[in-house]
Amino acid sequence: MKFPKLLIGALLLASCSVTDNTSPIPSDIFIKYFGESGVHRAVDVVYNEAHGEFMLLGSQNLGGDLTTDFYFAKADEGGNLIEAVSKDFTDSLGESLIDVPKKLVQLDDDRYLVIGTSANTSEETKLVWGIVGHDLNMDNATFYEITNAGNDLEGADIIKVEGEESVLILGSALTLEPNDLANPSTAGRQFYLSKRAMADNSEVWGESRTTGVVGNDIPLRVFQRADGTFAVFGSTQEQSGDWSGTNVRVVFTNIYGEVDASGVYGLDATTEVSNLNQFNDVPYDVLQTQAGYKVVGGSSITGASHTSFLMEITNQANLQYATPISNDFSLNSQAFTITRAFNGNYVIMGSYNSFQPNVTETGLNESRLEEAMVIQVDAFGNKIEDIDDFFGLESGNDRAIRAITLPVTGEIVMLGTFDFGSGISLLGLIKFNQDAELK
């Protein structure tokens, strides 16, 4: 089924106002936009089942300078804005910092964990995390800062530790902690792990940990496993076995954050194409399943996007498979997010870097910039036919950033960034049906 592009364009224009009172009932599909006249970037979305509402996280820049803020928006089941606020972190002199949010996690019915990075104009960075209420009252929110000797910490992910009033923080650092055995001259950025008390940000392990290998190791996601240990995912520049360039790095730790097992995996060994050594396989999202972990990302040659990929990592940190994801348009693409549908398949969303399909092959006479992508695959990465489409504004760069599946209805909800031109980009929230279709 191909999305009705003209209808979508009309919906996009009609729904720009976040105070639209003619929105569909909650069970219907919708397309809604959030933000002000400025630049916004989508980061994460959570559906709070207890309240029947969505919490959105993004970044916001309204001043035209380099500074950005954390941006929170709350919407009802129909996608209508309830409230929106921003959080600006400042330095000791009260100057605004460049705030980059990375992850939003529901803590309980009324609270959320959030993590990100604040940087000054000298490129000194600190990790920031906090606890924000569902009411979005920033006066009652709690925020903490974590710094290191090199002022080079960056935030990536955060989870609550089961059975404890503590959180596990995942980030990265250029400055190695004393427990790190890597060579500082070749280490680059390292994964950073820190277990912190929610009450006061105190270090539970007594010291933070960094772990990595040769080249930059960029963190992405952390999960707590059933036995209390942790699984960490990110990318690495380490050359390992059949894999070269940038690849997926997996680290399993014990309950104290000490490495038990690790692996480096990519597409090079499984993809029959030329110039394998030039491939960079960069992960963008990870989904935990009973069998292990589904990793999606983009594989590229010297910076030019080549294809989306799906990788499965077992509960023993081994590679089950790694496969490129084709599309009906034979276009370059990147997979930014994955969610499981009620039918057992997996919905993968991201973007087509430049939507210029071959008219002869596809019958589509379309010419657009970056367009949001939606594809379905089965549990083994095989693409489901006829569920492969694109959507977005007719001009500008649009991409899907986060997809979730609603717990009762099974509808697929996507948060993305949509470019309206003239320096304005907004957060877009779209509700699809169970098959990730706009109908």
Side-chain angles (χ1 to χ4, degrees):
M1 175 261 185
K2 302 302 179 205
F3 295 163
K5 306 303 183 302
L6 295 178
L7 172 61
I8 292 174
L11 285 171
L12 291 174
L13 294 174
S15 61
C16 291
S17 171
V18 294
T19 58
D20 180 11
N21 294 319
T22 61
S23 60
I25 61 176
S27 61
D28 288 343
I29 66 169
F30 61 72
I31 305 175
K32 292 289 180 177
Y33 296 91
F34 304 83
E36 304 173 52
S37 180
V39 177
H40 302 75
R41 296 284 183 264
V43 175
D44 212 347
V45 59
V46 171
Y47 177 70
N48 189 316
E49 190 174 1
H51 289 272
E53 294 170 346
F54 297 97
M55 188 65 73
L56 285 61
L57 174 66
S59 66
Q60 181 184 68
N61 180 339
L62 302 181
D65 56 13
L66 292 176
T67 61
T68 56
D69 301 329
F70 284 26
Y71 175 79
F72 300 90
K74 181 169 60 176
D76 65 18
E77 286 189 277
N80 303 298
L81 177 71
I82 298 172
E83 187 175 3
V85 299
S86 61
K87 172 62 179 177
D88 177 24
F89 296 95
T90 59
D91 62 17
S92 59
L93 299 177
E95 295 293 327
S96 293
L97 297 172
I98 303 168
D99 306 319
V100 181
K102 281 294 185 178
K103 196 71 172 68
L104 182 72
V105 177
Q106 187 171 346
L107 182 58
D108 52 38
D109 289 349
D110 297 304
R111 296 182 299 168
Y112 304 86
L113 296 170
V114 63
I115 191 170
T117 304
S118 282
N120 60 24
T121 54
S122 299
E123 297 185 353
E124 295 174 325
T125 61
K126 58 186 176 183
L127 189 153
V128 293
W129 71 277
I131 302 172
V132 177
H134 187 73
D135 60 5
L136 287 183
N137 186 338
M138 290 295 112
D139 291 335
N140 295 331
T142 303
F143 290 98
Y144 299 110
E145 298 177 356
I146 302 177
T147 59
N148 64 352
N151 292 317
D152 52 40
L153 278 181
E154 297 182 358
D157 198 7
I158 185 170
I159 59 172
K160 182 183 182 298
V161 179
E162 289 294 328
E164 300 181 19
E165 288 300 304
S166 62
V167 297
L168 185 68
I169 286 172
L170 173 65
S172 68
L174 278 169
T175 303
L176 277 57
E177 295 291 331
N179 52 65
D180 199 332
L181 300 179
N183 185 336
S185 66
T186 59
R189 297 202 73 88
Q190 302 275 282
F191 290 174
Y192 171 89
L193 286 172
S194 186
K195 190 175 181 182
R196 299 274 170 158
M198 288 196 297
D200 58 8
N201 193 37
S202 59
E203 177 66 74
V204 176
W205 287 332
E207 61 180 0
S208 301
R209 310 194 185 287
T210 55
T211 177
V213 287
V214 175
N216 288 324
D217 298 289
I218 307 301
L220 177 63
R221 295 283 178 266
V222 61
F223 302 90
Q224 186 169 19
R225 307 171 74 203
D227 60 359
T229 61
F230 302 103
V232 181
F233 292 82
S235 65
T236 184
Q237 294 175 325
E238 181 191 31
Q239 311 299 297
S240 177
D242 293 326
W243 292 284
S244 57
T246 299
N247 294 286
V248 176
R249 183 162 189 252
V250 185
V251 176
F252 283 12
T253 78
N254 61 20
I255 61 174
Y256 303 106
E258 299 163 336
V259 177
D260 277 343
S262 65
V264 176
Y265 307 114
L267 293 185
D268 296 4
T270 58
T271 309
E272 295 182 1
V273 296
S274 61
N275 301 319
L276 292 182
N277 292 337
Q278 299 179 33
F279 266 66
N280 295 307
D281 305 319
V282 180
Y284 292 114
D285 198 13
V286 185
L287 180 69
Q288 188 175 25
T289 69
Q290 286 188 333
Y293 305 86
K294 302 282 189 184
V295 183
V296 293
S299 182
S300 64
I301 300 177
T302 59
S305 181
H306 176 73
T307 186
S308 299
F309 70 81
L310 174 65
M311 184 181 297
E312 181 169 302
I313 307 297
T314 70
N315 286 316
Q316 292 72 43
N318 297 318
L319 177 65
Q320 185 70 22
Y321 65 79
T323 181
I325 302 171
S326 62
N327 59 77
D328 291 343
F329 312 110
S330 300
L331 293 175
N332 291 336
S333 68
Q334 298 180 87
F336 292 134
T337 183
I338 180 172
T339 188
R340 190 176 187 186
F342 272 21
N343 60 15
N345 294 330
Y346 292 87
V347 176
I348 296 173
M349 294 188 181
S351 77
Y352 295 109
N353 293 38
S354 177
F355 198 82
Q356 311 285 331
N358 185 298
V359 177
T360 303
E361 293 180 2
T362 66
L364 289 173
N365 187 16
E366 297 278 355
S367 180
R368 302 185 178 204
L369 299 177
E370 186 177 15
E371 288 288 290
M373 172 191 78
V374 56
I375 290 175
Q376 271 200 52
V377 301
D378 63 21
F380 304 101
N382 302 305
K383 192 172 78 68
I384 306 300
E385 296 301 322
D386 298 324
I387 306 181
D388 181 357
D389 226 313
F390 67 99
F391 51 94
L393 297 161
E394 292 194 11
S395 62
N397 295 302
D398 311 310
R399 54 172 56 182
I401 298 298
R402 185 73 67 238
I404 59 174
T405 303
L406 297 187
V408 176
T409 64
E411 293 160 315
I412 307 296
V413 174
M414 182 277 288
L415 178 70
T417 301
F418 291 84
D419 181 2
F420 284 75
S422 301
I424 298 175
S425 60
L426 301 178
L427 306 189
L429 190 67
I430 302 179
K431 183 197 280 188
F432 301 85
N433 64 16
Q434 288 188 1
D435 293 321
E437 298 173 320
L438 281 174
K439 69 174 184 179

